[in-house]
Amino acid sequence: MESLARLGRFGLNNLASLGRSGMILFQAIVARPQPLTMFPLLVQQIYFVGVLSLIIIVVSGLFIGMVLGLQGYTILVDYGSEQAVGQMVALSLVRELAPVVTALLFAGRAGSALTAEIGLMKATEQLSSLEMIGVDPLRRIIAPRFWAGFICLPILAAIFSIVGIYGGALVSIEWLGIYDGSFWANMQNSVDFADDIVNGLIKSVVFGFVVTWIAVFQGYDCIPTSEGISQATTKTVVYASLAVLGLDFILTAVMFGEI
Amino acid sequence: MSHFEDVIIDIQQLSFSRSDRPIYNNVDIKIPRGKITAIMGPSGTGKTTLLKLIGGQLNPDSGKIYLDGQNIPTLNRRELFVIRERMGMLFQSGALFTDMSVFENVAFPLRVHTKLPEDMIRDIVLMKLEAVGLRGASELMPSELSGGMARRVALARAIALDPDIVMYDEPFTGQDPIAMGVLVNLIRRLNESLGHTSIIVSHDIQETLGIADYIYLVADSSVIAHGTPEELKEVNSPQVRQFMEGLPDGPVPFHFPAVDYHDDLLQRGV
């Protein structure tokens, strides 16, 4: 009986927090947007969330591209089809690795920072004092951060793809000596704009939405103590990563699984 | 309690509880317009909660909180934000925006709620900072201020828009004697010259008695006494006397409820 009650409580708590997160999203974004006041704040947040994430994205993209080139070559060379390594690198990056790895890195770098920042604002009563000054913190604090994440993640994923492909090219062409003409030509022939690039973009848009939503909600909804903030930050990274991986499977199934 | 001619905030039958712990139980409080009203009482009696209820940041379980005829708990989000422009609140922690300088903190309400030109904003901010004695600190960041200074900056920010109602949450805590004297005078002067209604939450008895026009003593989730400072000094109820004279023994327990001290010490670990 006790465990049944616990299960019920668990379910109710989760439903309630899902409801709260929906309300926050709605009030921050849908209800009465103020593009003019938000624009400077948005630019500032794009800098914090996006531009400052560039280094980790570029470096990771480069290494992952290089590893793909190397692994692809060692497998494909057995079948004498090492010319196809360009195609393999590009497809795995554009379809899967760029959106997913970017979203995971983004959750760790920018998502956790967003949660901690908003949580600390809550703990130090800055959100309360905004409210008492007559400024809605959902629109002043949450909305620009949400939009910044939503805008930046697809762009970061695209940069990740580009850098990764160059990393793959570097290893395959410069180091392993694959003929560069066939590397690039194979890639161009096999990567389809609508099927591969647009689908990859859709994935990163969805991930951007989910990761930033989780991050700002966890910050806004956290218990305003140091322990609460640390829990919220952990939750952001864990929930966002799981959501990204789970959604990635569903999106892949819908896009490429022909169901 | 209808002896005030002009009531700005009228709290009727207010009940509020936090996770089954009653904070207020059918409380009636009237705040007279243009006066300094103090809410006093021991720690943990929900004085700050009362300010948050008035500001609409918390919703009561039942009861009404009228501000000039508008019942705050029934207002929607947009109406709340409009009515809050009439209120200034000084938070216990100061709650300055840590990413802005002292100047920008005080300028913030002016920038979001007025369309004043930049040089006028500068003048107003400097005047407010001068009033709290921190004009020289205008370029500092909040992390460079002491707790007392941060509170004074927060006060300057709370009065930047010259609100009708200023709520002070423990304004005197952590101030040195000089700053304390200045603050007491400042609150008094603001009240007289600008006609603000001030609500002070405090347990600094002497300072508060010195400036308050009317005092509510809150304990045990209700108002145990109210009146002018002179009237309160005459009240004979032991609860009131204990608080006003700061005695550790009396009807208000100093200790949080606990098992018997002697038993607790003698108890062996299980």
Side-chain angles (χ1 to χ4, degrees):
Chain A
M1 206 58 207
E2 179 63 24
S3 61
L4 198 67
R6 246 202 318 270
L7 183 70
R9 225 174 5 250
F10 177 77
L12 282 178
N13 285 342
N14 278 320
L15 272 182
S17 88
L18 192 68
R20 280 201 306 279
S21 66
M23 292 282 290
I24 285 169
L25 190 70
F26 178 80
Q27 276 166 343
I29 300 157
V30 185
R32 295 173 292 131
Q34 292 177 310
L36 276 182
T37 24
M38 205 180 75
F39 188 71
L41 297 169
L42 180 64
V43 172
Q44 196 185 6
Q45 286 309 319
I46 286 181
Y47 175 76
F48 283 130
V49 167
V51 177
L52 293 183
S53 303
L54 263 180
I55 290 191
I56 186 175
I57 296 299
V58 168
V59 173
S60 320
L62 187 69
F63 280 125
I64 287 187
M66 285 161 68
V67 168
L68 279 178
L70 203 52
Q71 289 280 16
Y73 178 84
T74 52
I75 296 168
L76 291 173
V77 79
D78 290 345
Y79 305 95
S81 48
E82 68 271 18
Q83 309 301 328
V85 74
Q87 157 186 5
M88 200 211 82
V89 168
L91 281 181
S92 38
L93 274 172
V94 171
R95 281 184 179 184
E96 283 298 331
L97 288 172
V100 173
V101 176
T102 308
L104 294 178
L105 291 171
F106 186 82
R109 217 243 40 137
S112 58
L114 283 178
T115 306
E117 187 191 16
I118 296 170
L120 206 60
M121 282 185 176
K122 185 175 180 182
T124 53
E125 293 187 304
Q126 293 185 49
L127 296 182
S128 277
S129 81
L130 268 180
E131 277 184 1
M132 288 307 297
I133 289 173
V135 175
D136 189 342
L138 289 176
R139 279 191 282 159
R140 173 103 198 167
I141 304 290
I142 305 296
R145 282 166 176 77
F146 174 81
W147 284 117
F150 184 65
I151 292 168
C152 286
L153 188 48
I155 298 173
L156 289 172
I159 294 172
F160 189 100
S161 283
I162 294 164
V163 176
I165 287 170
Y166 273 103
L170 195 72
V171 169
S172 321
I173 298 167
E174 303 295 329
W175 184 19
L176 301 171
I178 293 174
Y179 175 53
D180 62 344
S182 54
F183 181 89
W184 295 115
N186 264 332
M187 189 187 297
Q188 280 180 2
N189 286 336
S190 58
V191 178
D192 184 77
F193 181 75
D195 276 352
D196 302 318
I197 296 180
V198 171
N199 277 342
L201 194 68
I202 292 174
K203 277 187 180 178
S204 60
V205 168
V206 173
F207 297 159
F209 181 87
V210 173
V211 170
T212 332
W213 183 17
I214 292 176
V216 294
F217 169 69
Q218 290 297 343
Y220 193 78
D221 202 54
C222 78
I223 303 161
T225 59
S226 30
E227 200 189 9
I229 294 170
S230 103
Q231 275 173 2
T233 316
T234 313
K235 273 186 191 168
T236 292
V237 178
V238 173
Y239 289 177
S241 308
L242 292 180
V244 164
L245 296 172
L247 278 172
D248 182 50
F249 175 73
I250 295 171
L251 288 173
T252 309
V254 173
M255 288 167 177
F256 304 105
E258 319 221 336
I259 49 170
Chain B
M1 285 218 278
S2 55
H3 46 278
F4 298 128
E5 288 168 7
D6 194 0
V7 171
I8 185 161
I9 296 175
D10 188 356
I11 299 175
Q12 299 173 358
Q13 308 268 302
L14 175 77
S15 292
F16 180 79
S17 55
R18 257 198 183 139
S19 53
D20 298 338
R21 193 166 70 94
I23 308 280
Y24 288 109
N25 191 8
N26 272 331
V27 169
D28 291 289
I29 291 176
K30 289 183 199 308
I31 310 280
R33 189 186 307 273
K35 304 276 190 210
I36 300 178
T37 306
I39 314 284
M40 304 184 74
S43 311
T45 45
K47 303 187 294 295
T48 305
T49 306
L50 184 69
L51 295 187
K52 293 202 165 174
L53 285 163
I54 295 174
Q57 295 191 302
L58 294 173
N59 266 332
D61 300 340
S62 65
K64 299 184 173 72
I65 302 168
Y66 287 107
L67 192 156
D68 274 340
Q70 280 184 292
N71 186 9
I72 289 174
T74 62
L75 297 181
N76 66 29
R77 221 177 147 75
R78 187 208 306 254
E79 291 166 330
L80 258 183
F81 280 108
V82 172
I83 210 166
R84 281 181 190 147
E85 289 179 36
R86 298 182 51 196
M87 304 179 191
M89 178 148 166
L90 174 66
F91 283 86
Q92 208 165 343
S93 60
L96 295 176
F97 304 128
T98 42
D99 56 339
M100 298 180 190
S101 68
V102 164
F103 182 94
E104 285 304 319
N105 261 288
V106 182
F108 181 78
L110 297 163
R111 290 198 203 284
V112 292
H113 289 309
T114 67
K115 291 194 164 53
L116 293 175
E118 190 55 37
D119 54 344
M120 201 177 279
I121 289 186
R122 183 171 181 274
D123 289 349
I124 296 176
V125 172
L126 291 183
M127 280 157 63
K128 301 294 177 191
L129 283 173
E130 176 73 15
V132 296
L134 290 173
R135 186 168 47 85
S138 67
E139 294 310 316
L140 296 183
M141 294 304 281
S143 55
E144 299 171 276
L145 303 175
S146 73
M149 285 159 82
R151 201 94 50 86
R152 276 146 72 195
V153 174
L155 175 59
R157 185 180 65 183
I159 58 174
L161 282 171
D162 290 326
D164 295 342
I165 304 163
V166 189
M167 299 191 270
Y168 303 90
D169 191 357
E170 302 284 6
F172 308 121
T173 315
Q175 300 291 349
D176 63 68
I178 303 171
M180 176 103 89
V182 173
L183 270 184
V184 170
N185 275 328
L186 183 68
I187 294 174
R188 164 61 72 201
R189 237 183 29 242
L190 284 170
N191 181 257
E192 280 167 0
S193 56
L194 297 168
H196 292 164
T197 301
S198 307
I199 306 174
I200 301 181
V201 156
S202 177
H203 38 228
D204 289 288
I205 297 173
Q206 290 315 318
E207 286 72 24
T208 313
L209 284 181
I211 57 168
D213 295 303
Y214 205 81
I215 295 174
Y216 284 90
L217 265 186
V218 184
D220 295 340
S221 53
S222 56
V223 174
I224 56 168
H226 59 95
T228 61
E230 290 70 32
E231 285 168 359
L232 275 194
K233 282 176 191 159
E234 303 302 319
V235 175
N236 273 326
S237 134
Q239 232 179 341
V240 177
R241 292 263 54 83
Q242 187 200 354
F243 184 74
M244 302 291 282
E245 287 157 22
L247 305 173
D249 285 320
V252 185
F254 165 68
H255 292 284
F256 198 81
V259 298
D260 186 71
Y261 188 35
H262 190 243
D263 292 350
D264 209 3
L265 286 178
L266 289 181
Q267 198 176 32
R268 300 276 183 271
V270 184

